Amino acid sequence: MAPRRMATTRAGRKQTAAKAVLKRPAARGTSKAVTRRPAARTDSRRSISDILKSLKREGLGLILFEKVRSPTTLEAIKQKDHLLLPAEVAGPALKTAASMDALVLSRPYGGMTLGNLLWDRFALPSHQRAARQARDGQFRKSFAELLGLLLHMSKDNHWICRQEVVLDWKEFSGFFTKMSATWRRLLQQTDEVLGLKPEAGIKAGYRKRLLQLLRGWEEETNLILALECDWQRPPPFHRGN
């Protein structure tokens, strides 16, 4: 009986050894029969935050005018209302607009003080810098200054109706005349100079959308003054500007 038990034991050892061979990991440098994940596609869905970071690495900044669901793709975003501009333009512009938005939210009751602060802290000094930069040929810096004002002023009217800058008519009317002149100087530059046609953006570029934004703001400002502010003078934006 002893030899029979020994045979059984040897057979068991062979089975155990066979299992061990099957479980033994492959040596380094040898190929494994493992299913590999496909490489990430450039149009794969990602969070908006990840897309913004990726654009920033490429020197670009995204300005959205409508909500976008996340996760999404850059191609899907480009179907929405947006501007895709150099980071040196979009970044400072968004920062200025956000600071103006924050000031408005910090004073929920509005009033004359809020209007004065928007002019004193943002509208007047930002345009002064923009005008100087445009004269010096620093067109993207100037563009960033004016775009920041435009992003806020085109969606909020606290800056226009209740403020005391209007008491100095020369300064008030001069603001619109000079701002229009600075915008004209900027828009005389090519898309390449202003960064209005980045390779990653839409094929036509963003000059047309920028002009629409500007014209809409001008018309809205004239309308608000006429209907809500009891404006008795000629509109600040007119063909002569």
Side-chain angles (χ1 to χ4, degrees):
M1 297 299 291
R4 189 175 298 173
R5 284 198 300 271
M6 187 177 293
T8 304
T9 303
R10 287 175 180 171
R13 287 175 180 173
K14 287 182 180 180
Q15 291 176 1
T16 303
K19 291 180 181 179
V21 170
L22 291 174
K23 293 180 180 180
R24 186 179 300 161
R28 292 184 180 180
T30 60
S31 59
K32 298 179 183 180
V34 178
T35 303
R36 297 181 180 275
R37 294 181 179 180
R41 292 167 51 186
T42 55
D43 62 345
S44 59
R45 293 167 63 84
R46 295 178 291 166
S47 69
I48 294 178
S49 177
D50 285 344
I51 292 174
L52 292 177
K53 290 177 182 177
S54 178
L55 289 171
K56 187 176 181 179
R57 287 193 294 270
E58 297 178 28
L60 297 171
L62 177 68
I63 299 173
L64 284 169
F65 297 109
E66 60 179 302
K67 291 183 178 180
V68 176
R69 291 185 177 183
S70 185
T72 185
T73 66
L74 180 57
E75 290 304 315
I77 288 176
K78 285 159 62 175
Q79 303 303 314
K80 302 291 185 179
D81 191 8
H82 74 287
L83 294 174
L84 185 60
L85 302 171
E88 63 187 298
V89 173
L94 287 169
K95 185 176 180 179
T96 295
S99 296
M100 296 178 78
D101 293 347
L103 179 58
V104 171
L105 291 174
S106 71
R107 296 174 177 270
Y109 299 105
M112 197 74 71
T113 301
L114 173 59
N116 290 339
L117 286 173
L118 288 169
W119 279 82
D120 293 341
R121 292 185 184 179
F122 299 100
L124 294 174
S126 287
H127 176 258
Q128 288 170 359
R129 287 191 296 269
R132 183 178 65 253
Q133 291 161 344
R135 288 193 299 269
D136 293 343
Q138 298 176 309
F139 297 115
R140 289 192 180 185
K141 287 185 177 181
S142 179
F143 184 18
E145 291 279 3
L146 292 191
L147 183 59
L149 295 180
L150 179 62
L151 291 176
H152 173 80
M153 291 176 169
S154 61
K155 66 179 181 181
D156 189 282
N157 63 10
H158 285 90
W159 67 278
I160 189 64
C161 279
R162 306 199 65 185
Q163 38 77 22
E164 295 173 309
V165 181
V166 70
L167 299 178
D168 185 340
W169 175 248
K170 184 178 180 179
E171 181 178 36
F172 183 75
S173 61
F175 170 80
F176 296 97
T177 301
K178 293 174 183 176
M179 175 177 277
S180 296
T182 305
W183 270 116
R184 282 199 302 272
R185 185 189 292 265
L186 289 178
L187 292 171
Q188 288 171 356
Q189 311 309 312
T190 64
D191 290 348
E192 288 71 25
V193 169
L194 296 180
L196 288 172
K197 201 171 182 180
E199 186 176 347
I202 60 176
K203 186 176 181 179
Y206 297 95
R207 183 177 290 265
K208 182 179 178 180
R209 182 64 185 100
L210 176 63
L211 290 173
Q212 290 174 342
L213 194 63
L214 269 171
R215 292 189 186 114
W217 173 55
E218 292 174 353
E219 293 172 2
E220 185 72 12
T221 298
N222 288 342
L223 188 63
I224 289 173
L225 284 170
L227 299 181
E228 298 183 24
C229 306
D230 194 25
W231 189 250
Q232 302 299 321
R233 293 177 180 266
F237 288 116
H238 54 86
R239 290 185 179 181
N241 280 4

